Amino acid sequence: MANHLDSFFGAMADPTRRAVIERLVGGPAPVSELHAPHDMALPSFLKHLRKLESAGLIRSEKQGRVRMVHIEAAPLAQAEHWLARQRRLWEEQTDRLESFAKSLDVASKKD
């Protein structure tokens, strides 16, 4: 799972790739539509798509003369699961720290 997370976070580290994923949440899109809002040459943009595809976040298929891009939900769900687990661990830590701080406060008021 660690390798998948590394690929996921590596792919999502770039704002262009995050924008592509955000757009694809709304449904599949042709490469030309995904490329349009980005001020870069098409070959550079295609490198971003390859990075997303190699991370398993998207898949593309040729439909006639148009290449359609689809989002893949499984890697997003894996990352969400990992983040939720991390959040729980940190919340437990902060809850213990809060309890400890309150016990110190109570102890200092007794003195």
Side-chain angles (χ1 to χ4, degrees), residues 72-105:
E72 291 291 332
L76 295 169
Q78 290 173 347
E80 182 179 16
H81 176 73
W82 183 84
L83 288 168
R85 196 170 63 237
Q86 299 308 308
R87 181 180 298 118
R88 280 192 306 275
L89 291 172
W90 280 102
E91 286 172 350
E92 290 169 7
Q93 294 282 345
T94 57
D95 288 347
R96 284 197 298 268
L97 182 58
E98 181 182 18
S99 294
F100 178 69
K102 285 180 180 178
S103 71
L104 290 176
D105 188 43

Side-chain angles (χ1 to χ4, degrees), residues 22-95:
E22 286 178 29
R23 165 51 193 89
L24 290 174
V25 167
V31 170
S32 59
E33 180 184 322
L34 295 172
H35 173 250
H38 302 284
D39 187 25
M40 66 178 67
L42 182 60
S44 297
F45 183 75
L46 292 174
K47 288 180 183 179
H48 287 289
L49 293 184
R50 281 194 292 277
K51 179 79 170 183
L52 290 168
E53 199 159 15
S54 70
L57 292 166
I58 64 170
R59 67 180 166 78
S60 65
E61 63 183 2
K62 190 95 169 177
Q63 293 180 352
R65 295 171 51 172
V66 176
R67 180 153 298 275
M68 292 296 291
V69 181
H70 305 262
I71 194 165
E72 291 291 332
L76 295 169
Q78 290 173 347
E80 182 179 16
H81 176 73
W82 183 84
L83 288 168
R85 196 170 63 237
Q86 299 308 308
R87 181 180 298 118
R88 280 192 306 275
L89 291 172
W90 280 102
E91 286 172 350
E92 290 169 7
Q93 294 282 345
T94 57
D95 288 347

